[in-house]
């Protein structure tokens, strides 16, 4: 199996319930040093998906350049529309769903993001993740025009996407329908504990009022799914998800993390140094277990495109 470790590299203040155009900063990016053991000891590269505001921060960019030059990390992009220019006052409150943004405005924001990351990090990004996993047709249609080859915005077994059918998305990479040069989708790794239950829950949700149905879908991961994401799942669930995915023929694991989860107090889930230390320890234990059990091979999102998407 191949293992992708994808990190949303972003500014602080994102878990406060507010979405200002000028965030407090990106000092959390320096905490990526806590993960250096992943590349140093295991040889796994990181895929660093960088927001516009993080790309504006010179110190954050110095850290990111170090990761690329020292450990072969991939630099991708991560769009937060609410603080990526240009700005237009719309009637909807922030964060405005991507499907409600005018397509030209969404494209202009993508252009700003790709351009800023290119200037700050001398990078031509090929990989992408949408902020808040707010994936939908407008985003999909916009990406190829900016050189994006790989998306990693879909979270199976949840209702995070604007497309309810993404609840049933497969856990392994697949090509999205589109032009002659299609996008490779690399979803986050979530798998059902009992095969067949996602389709049954999806059918139930379809019979309920829309809002209630989406809530049922979004809560399925707490009861019927296992995932390998250390901020969302306990270690036992991470190991179960990897084991089930491999047993069912899975070829790729995609582990996800926010950079701000490595800074004590930057997110409600990790308020103290001790809580962050335990998070990092969980990652180390999980990677040790993976390496000893199966000898997984590290890969970046673009590596997967090179091997699967052409």
């Amino acid at each position: 199996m191949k293992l992708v470790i994808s990190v949303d590299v972003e500014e602080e203040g994102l878990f406060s319930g507010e979405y200002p155009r000028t965030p407090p900063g990106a000092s959390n990016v320096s905490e990526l040093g806590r993960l250096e053991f992943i590349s140093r000891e295991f040889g796994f590269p990181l895929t660093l998906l960088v927001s516009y505001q993080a790309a504006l921060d010179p110190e954050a960019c110095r850290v990111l350049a170090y990761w690329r030059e020292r450990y072969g990390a991939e630099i991708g992009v991560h769009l937060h529309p609410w603080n990526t220019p240009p700005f237009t006052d719309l009637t909807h409150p922030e964060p405005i769903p991507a499907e409600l943004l005018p397509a030209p405005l969404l494209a202009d924001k993508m252009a700003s993001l790709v351009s800023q990351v290119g200037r700050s990090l001398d990078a031509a990004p090929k990989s992408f993740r949408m902020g808040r996993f707010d994936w939908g047709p407008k985003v999909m249609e916009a990406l190829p025009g900016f050189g994006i080859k790989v998306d990693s915005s879909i979270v199976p077994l949840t209702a995070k996407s604007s497309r309810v059918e993404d609840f049933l998305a497969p856990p392994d990479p697949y090509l999205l329908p589109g032009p002659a040069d299609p996008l490779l989708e690399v979803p986050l790794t979530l798998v059902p504990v009992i095969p067949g239950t996602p389709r049954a829950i999806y059918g139930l949700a379809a019979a309920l009022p829309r809002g209630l149905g989406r809530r049922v879908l979004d809560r399925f991961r707490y009861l019927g799914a296992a995932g390998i994401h250390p901020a969302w799942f306990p270690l036992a669930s991470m190991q179960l998800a990897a084991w089930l995915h491999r047993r069912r023929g899975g070829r790729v694991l995609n582990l996800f993390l926010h950079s701000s989860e490595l800074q004590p107090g930057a997110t409600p889930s990790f308020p103290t140094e001790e809580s962050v230390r335990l998070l990092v320890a969980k990652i180390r234990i999980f990677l040790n277990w993976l390496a000893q059990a199966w000898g997984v091979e590290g890969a970046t999102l673009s590596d997967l495109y090179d091997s699967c998407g052409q």
Side-chain angles (χ1 to χ4, degrees), residues 52 77 109-119 123-125 146-148:
Y52 178 86
V77 286
K109 288 177 180 290
M110 272 296 302
S112 293
L113 171 62
V114 171
S115 177
Q116 185 61 51
V117 170
R119 287 194 301 271
F146 296 97
I148 301 299

Side-chain angles (χ1 to χ4, degrees), residues 14-15 20 23 38 46 48 52 68 76-77 127 136 140 143 149 152 165 190 194 205 209 230 242-243 274 284 290 304:
L14 296 173
F15 297 86
I38 294 175
L46 301 188
L48 303 171
Y52 178 86
R68 180 180 57 193
V77 286
S127 55
M140 181 168 59
L143 295 183
K149 304 295 186 183
S152 185
E165 62 268 29
L190 275 79
I194 301 174
W243 182 80
E274 177 65 9
R284 182 188 287 273
L290 275 182
L304 295 183

Side-chain angles (χ1 to χ4, degrees), residues 6 129 133 152 154-156 171 186-190 229 232 254 256:
S6 52
R129 179 173 292 138
F133 304 104
S152 185
I154 290 180
V155 190
V186 184
L188 301 194
T189 302
L190 275 79
H229 315 295
W232 291 356
N254 183 8
F256 146 81

Side-chain angles (χ1 to χ4, degrees), residues 3-24:
L3 172 68
V4 174
I5 299 174
S6 52
V7 183
D8 291 355
V9 180
E10 54 194 19
E11 62 279 5
E12 281 97 58
L14 296 173
F15 297 86
S16 64
E18 299 180 359
Y19 296 87
R21 289 180 179 175
T22 304

